[in-house]
Amino acid sequence: MDADEEDYVFYGTPIEREEEMTSRKKKAVAESSGLLRSLPPWKQEVTDEEGRRRFHGAFTGGFSAGFYNTVGSKEGWAPQSFTSSRKNRAEVKKQSIFSFLDDDEIAEMEGHSLGTSLQFDTFGFTAAELARKQAEKEQQQRPSAIPGPLPDEIVLLATESIGVKLLLKMGWRRGNSIKDSHTNSLYDARREARKAFLALSSDDVSTDLAVSEGVKSDLQNAIELPANDDLKSSESTPVYVLNPKQDLHGLGYDPFKHAPEFREKKRLRMSGKKELGLKNDLFAFKSRKVAPGFGIGALEELDVEDEDVYASGYDFEDNYIQEVEEPSGLVIESKQKLGSKEKGVLSGFKVASKLDYQLERFDPPVVPKNFVPHHKFHAPLDDSNKHDGDPPPPEAIAPEDNNLKLLIEGVATLVARCGKLFEDLSREKNQSNPLFSFLTGGNGCDYYARKLWEERQKHNDKSKQLLDVKSSPTVQKMTAESRGKILGERPLERSSRDTNSSVASADVIQLQFNLSDTFTKPASLKELSEIAKPFKEDPAKQERFELFLKEKYHGGLRSTDSGGASNMSEAARAREKLDFEAAAETIEKGLRGKESNLSTQQFMEMSATAVMEFAPGGLEQAKVTQAEELVIKKMYPKREEFQWRPSPILCKRFDIIDPFMGKPPPAPRRRSKMDSLVFTSDSVKSTTVDETVTSKLPVAQLDPQQFSTDVNAREIEVNMEVEKVERPVDLYKAIFSDDSDDEVENSTSNQVDDPKRKIEAANTTLNRLMAGDFLESLGKELGLEVPPDMPQSINKARTSAPKKESNDVNPGNISSLAVENKPSSTYTAVKGTSVNQEAPHDKAYDQESTQEVRSQNNELMLDSPSGSKIKVTGSSENESSKIKAEKMDQEGRKAKTPTGHRQNWSSDSSSEDERSRKRSRRRRHRSDSSDTDISSDHQDRYHSRSKGRKKGSSREKSSSSRRYSKHHKRGSRDSPSRSSRHSSERERSESKREKRR
Amino acid sequence: MGIAGLPKKEANVLRGHEGAVLAARFNGDGNYCLSCGKDRTIRLWNPHRGIHIKTYKSHGREVRDVHVAPDNSKLCSCGGDRQLFYWDVSTGRVIRKFRGHDSEVNAVKFNEYASVVVSAGYDRSLRAWDCRSHSTEPIQIIDTFSDSVMSVCLTKSEIIAGSVDGTVRTFDIRIGRELSDDLGQPVNCISMSNDANCILASCLDSTLRLLDRSTGELLQEYKGHTCKSYKMDCCLTNTDAHVTSGSEDGFIFFWDLVDASVVSSFRAHASVVTSVSYHPKDDCMITASVDGTIRVWKT
């Protein structure tokens, strides 16, 4: 057989022999017939009717499930399956004994279960509990002290009284009476015992039985009594019912004591009122107007937004309100009764015709006619006060005798201080003394009079100051004369000796200073006929503004609280002052604008490109000056453009390619106060550079913050550049080769040049120069030394500028232009670095631009200096990516010019840098190989030319600048009509340069 | 279309809202309309037969705006509870709730594919929400506005929104650019012309302003109605021949688009007309009012 099988080839599956099958079946039958049942259970092997072992599952029985494999069969139990879904959670099953018992077993168990029964109320607790619950139920129906559905459990006492505590410790239970139930029974028992004793002693045996019976019964009673007593005691203390006193009767007074029918009436009325009150509570939302029909959630507060802003005396057509407020029958009834009560007619009563009780009124006391409601003080006024009104005695010449003069002065002060009495006294005393003759009208009399008056004045002032503290101490009483003296005026009659001369010198300065403080000089503006109201919204502010204007233009007395209300902080005041200045300036400008009859168009342009534009925060109101109101309609709508970065997912959902794909996340847009200043857009300015006075805005001064950040950004780059300057000669290969290309290209492109491009180039040049200015100052700061080689770069830049035929354009032209823009700056060599910085970016864009085949027309549109953006958006769809790039190019350039859209594009420029760098790197990798030869042979070519062009300039000196100038030029020449050869070659050289870097 | 073509005859009155109706909108084909109001419900109607079809309840406060997806399968709504609800139209279930606005949400719109809901809130922000993912976080927050954003419009690639700060801002997703058109007056509602070239902005100085979208130029001003304090809608007719808006005195105004003359005005409601919506094809209009009714107007 084996040998045969090796020889044959079998197809298909062999048919199973019948005998095998039958034998197995037989076996199974035999086994099931009880052969195996004799075996112990653990040795048995369970099979199905086919004789196979069935596997039920690892956790549901294994091979042998249930009693003799009865699982799943009719007589077996069904295996539990665990299912749990979100909708239908499987609850945690707790197994108890019942889950393992049959029904009959459970029924059997039931009989033995233990439970509590009300029947066994041994101590009466249950009954007490029930009673209390009942009382509580009643309590709820009763009016509560606190309105609303407040359960009384809440206001239970927190602590129990000591008595309750003690009682509890002694075994008292709540609801039981305190009375000792045993005392009574004991007493009774004793009494009975005494009776029995008496009876025993007095009576014979015949009564014995009866007595014993009695005693027995008494004893029984005594035994029974406690139980009864317990039952009684459980009811003995009623639950204290909180029934708040709501009427105005005295305590314990029951008005319905003898007329219970009124009690019922009153109860009905009260219930009606309560129901109504409840309704009021629900629907009257704290007296505020609330949108009808809808409440708010239980957890929400009533907010402003819930007020019905639309409710303006309009009633809804729908009748749903009536549904809500359908009153119950009881209420109607009570209302009817209430109505009858209002008439004052109770059944069986009628209104009294005459009132017994009358309120007695008393007239107020009569005030005597001569009564003055002021209190008079009897203390005598200072007698010197009466001299106030006196005209001052004329100036008198002091006597020549110094002693006499001193004496007079001394007496005068004393008299002034002590009063007239002293004068009289001294006069009497010294009548004979010739020295005191001035008192009686002798020598020096008039001087004395004068002196006395002066002293009195002084004294008066002092006392006055003491008297009323309110008078400000700074206000010094000054006579016309003394003030005149201080001011240096010449008095009409001037004595040779100025008594106050000593006072003057210090005071003069003081007073004059004060005067300058108090008075302001008018500014030169004359016609501020109508007062502009830029702060209409804030009357107080407007007032202050007007004051400010007045001060500025009219002069006059300076207000005490100039520069803001006293309650304003210093910073706020300063800000406001700035606001005012700005507003005043705009007004002035507006007036000037009107004067010079600028056309609205011009004015619009001016204000659109104006120095200051007020941001919506804070300064906004200044916009609405009256002068500008004339053009306000023309000014709006005003369009502004910002960069906005949609999130990638948003782009995806809108089915749009992310315009910022692969770019680093942008810096958050700055929202500082300086953002409110919109600078002249550089496109507009370039056309009107020479005439816009407004664009002379000193940027650095206005916005130091932003500049500092920029400076930081550029510092790094500058440092890099400096490093580059020191690089070996092979660096120049790239440059020179590149340059030679440029020269060739220049010659060709010059012919294709059109005026628009020239203008554009000029603009870019200008921008560069301005950037250069900035960087030059920066370089100074950093202490960098870059050889002064600017003229050449300018020359190169100007090759494509209008005067292309003359390569040696005077650099002064441009420089002067630049200086005009930024008067503070001067040219030095640092300018070279700036140009260099920009070069890579421009180059990057150039590459991009050359990669894409563009139409000349489009390019022109894009590059035209004014209104380019709008045209970009207007251009056709399929060029969008190109346009995008182009626009970014522009933007990037703009960002680099210091006066560009600084705040709008600040983030953009950085990202732009990033991108360009990346791109250039990529390109570098691509065109790594084939560059050295080209560059080398270009090198000498350049040498000769450069030497020819600028004589005597050493290479070391101009090394950096030469390179920069080249880049510069390229940047300026954004020509679309460049041949592909040029671009590719340039690309190569560029990439090479990049690599070296 | 002359003046005769204007829908001035009242065809139906849709009653059912309890309290003010804050917005009424036709669906994409104009066969149905949706309304929402102070009673915290959104209702679906057949305005042509005057039948109330369904009520959507889930909002906790008033519903301020509702919009239906172009395929009529989903709704989005927003309101005083600071949430956006994304509904299934047929079952009336809320599929998703978008929380994130810091205060009330004024307006809501689906984009073209109903994949994004853009909402405008009182919290000075626009938020875009993703309907495709399960995330309930906004996928974009635009917070360049300086006051409450009242209204939002979407095109295929742009989000346009009007704000009380007086600006209408266009966010171009394709270019990544924000255009801000300052109108100088608080913008109450914006609506786009059917040719998508213009924006009609309802300002709170009782003036409608028509802006050219590409240049930002003010093309025309429409005056005569009162709109000073309520959030009210405005729209153009389906032929872009007329401009229509409600008024706070219950009137409806029609202006000629070009010469800005009031072509027609009549009293439509007893109180403030909060919303107007014009049928996309027929001469039919629905108006909603504070008086709790929605009225259907036909020629």
Side-chain angles (χ1 to χ4, degrees), chain A residues 740-780:
Chain A
S740 67
D741 282 345
D742 281 343
E743 284 306 305
V744 177
E745 185 196 318
N746 205 8
S747 59
T748 55
S749 63
N750 271 352
Q751 286 139 23
V752 204
D753 258 352
D754 49 40
K756 274 193 180 175
R757 253 187 52 213
K758 279 175 224 155
I759 291 160
E760 185 253 342
N763 284 337
T764 47
T765 315
L766 202 61
N767 292 342
R768 296 280 157 62
L769 289 176
M770 288 185 305
D773 267 358
F774 164 67
L775 274 148
E776 164 217 309
S777 55
L778 178 75
K780 268 184 189 163

Side-chain angles (χ1 to χ4, degrees), chain B residues 23-60:
Chain B
R25 308 259 181 266
F26 271 113
N27 75 332
D29 57 7
N31 287 333
Y32 299 95
C33 78
L34 281 158
S35 64
C36 56
K38 290 279 271 187
D39 60 354
R40 305 184 280 199
T41 61
I42 301 156
R43 282 162 202 261
L44 177 65
W45 312 82
N46 185 331
H48 308 292
R49 292 162 64 199
I51 302 170
H52 175 218
I53 298 165
K54 205 172 175 67
T55 305
Y56 301 90
K57 286 182 188 168
S58 218
H59 269 286

Side-chain angles (χ1 to χ4, degrees), chain A residues 661-699:
Chain A
M661 209 192 294
K663 280 194 178 179
R669 201 192 280 178
R670 250 191 298 264
R671 282 197 170 266
S672 71
K673 202 188 168 206
M674 286 308 174
D675 275 359
S676 57
L677 304 171
V678 173
F679 301 120
T680 327
S681 81
D682 118 302
S683 59
V684 178
K685 197 189 63 213
S686 57
T687 55
T688 59
V689 164
D690 32 6
E691 53 91 19
T692 48
V693 193
T694 51
S695 69
K696 252 197 289 177
L697 177 75
V699 181

